[in-house]
Amino acid sequence: MNIAVYCSAKDSIPEEYKLLGDAVGQWLAEAGYNLVYGGATGGLMSRVSDAFQKAMHDGQKIIGVIPTKIRESGRMATNCNEMIEVPNMAERKNTMREIADCFIVLPGSYGTLDELFDVVSSGTVKEHKKRIYVLNYNGFYNSLREQIAHMKELAFLPQDECYRPHFVQSLEELKEKINKKYSLT
């Protein structure tokens, strides 16, 4: 089971978010999943993949999907079992969407939001039926939830929207939902 993680690659973020990345990576490995991520170094990306690598078992994989420009910048991770180089960010999103069985969105910035909206909109038009979990750690995505509610209120989104991101408030809630749906045991 391949789980894609979208998150920040910035080192300047607060330490509590880095610790969250450690916890997510460790849990994914201990639960027996494979990690799919952007294949670059920095921020939560490094923390998730490094923690995953430390806790992974035989047969598990870290799959990085990295655009050529990021590799050329010297930011390619070295801990991947499999590295897929793609020509650009658009192809990175397509490749990750294809190989992942579900998606976890951690705190991040423009790139993370772009990846979130890509998997939501592609799911809306039935390009896939994969679950999307947004970890609203410390209320990081409260404003996004309010915007979604506002769009529903004004009928830009249907009230009974059937394809949407699933917001979770804690790592424990995320674990519970994913393990219940995708348990490997």
Side-chain angles (χ1 to χ4, degrees):
M1 163 93 181
N2 296 331
I3 297 185
V5 176
Y6 299 129
C7 58
S8 175
K10 298 287 185 213
D11 287 323
S12 59
I13 63 175
E15 184 67 18
E16 66 186 294
Y17 293 96
K18 294 176 185 176
L19 295 174
L20 173 67
D22 295 342
V24 169
Q26 181 178 346
W27 161 64
L28 288 171
E30 289 174 351
Y33 302 114
N34 294 319
L35 172 64
V36 178
Y37 83 114
T41 59
L44 291 177
M45 289 179 80
S46 287
R47 298 298 285 258
V48 169
S49 65
D50 288 348
F52 186 95
Q53 183 183 33
K54 288 176 187 166
M56 66 191 279
H57 309 290
D58 289 339
Q60 284 181 285
K61 294 192 295 187
I62 300 173
I63 304 166
V65 183
I66 192 163
T68 300
K69 290 274 188 203
I70 295 176
R71 181 192 53 79
E72 290 173 347
S73 75
R75 292 194 46 227
M76 184 170 78
T78 58
N79 63 350
C80 297
N81 304 79
E82 182 180 342
M83 183 64 78
I84 302 168
E85 185 173 336
V86 294
N88 54 50
M89 296 293 278
E91 195 55 41
R92 175 202 250 176
K93 289 184 295 187
N94 290 338
T95 301
M96 289 178 73
R97 189 174 62 239
E98 287 175 16
I99 62 179
D101 297 302
C102 92
F103 309 93
I104 295 173
V105 181
L106 300 180
S109 66
Y110 294 130
T112 305
L113 290 174
D114 181 44
E115 292 161 331
L116 167 61
F117 291 132
D118 175 71
V119 294
V120 170
S121 62
S122 58
T124 300
V125 296
K126 302 188 181 355
E127 289 181 9
H128 68 85
K129 293 182 179 181
K130 301 171 184 179
R131 289 268 177 137
I132 303 158
Y133 297 95
V134 178
L135 182 48
N136 189 29
Y137 183 76
N138 283 345
F140 188 87
Y141 287 110
N142 282 350
S143 295
L144 177 60
R145 292 183 80 179
E146 290 172 16
Q147 181 62 38
I148 291 169
H150 181 65
M151 291 186 295
K152 284 183 179 184
E153 182 181 307
L154 296 176
F156 283 89
L157 290 174
Q159 289 296 321
D160 62 345
E161 179 188 13
C162 62
Y163 197 83
R164 59 178 167 63
H166 300 271
F167 286 87
V168 294
Q169 303 307 308
S170 67
L171 179 55
E172 290 307 313
E173 184 182 357
L174 178 68
K175 289 177 183 181
E176 179 184 316
K177 289 193 180 284
I178 288 182
N179 287 338
K180 184 177 180 180
K181 181 141 181 83
Y182 303 105
S183 179
L184 299 175
T185 56

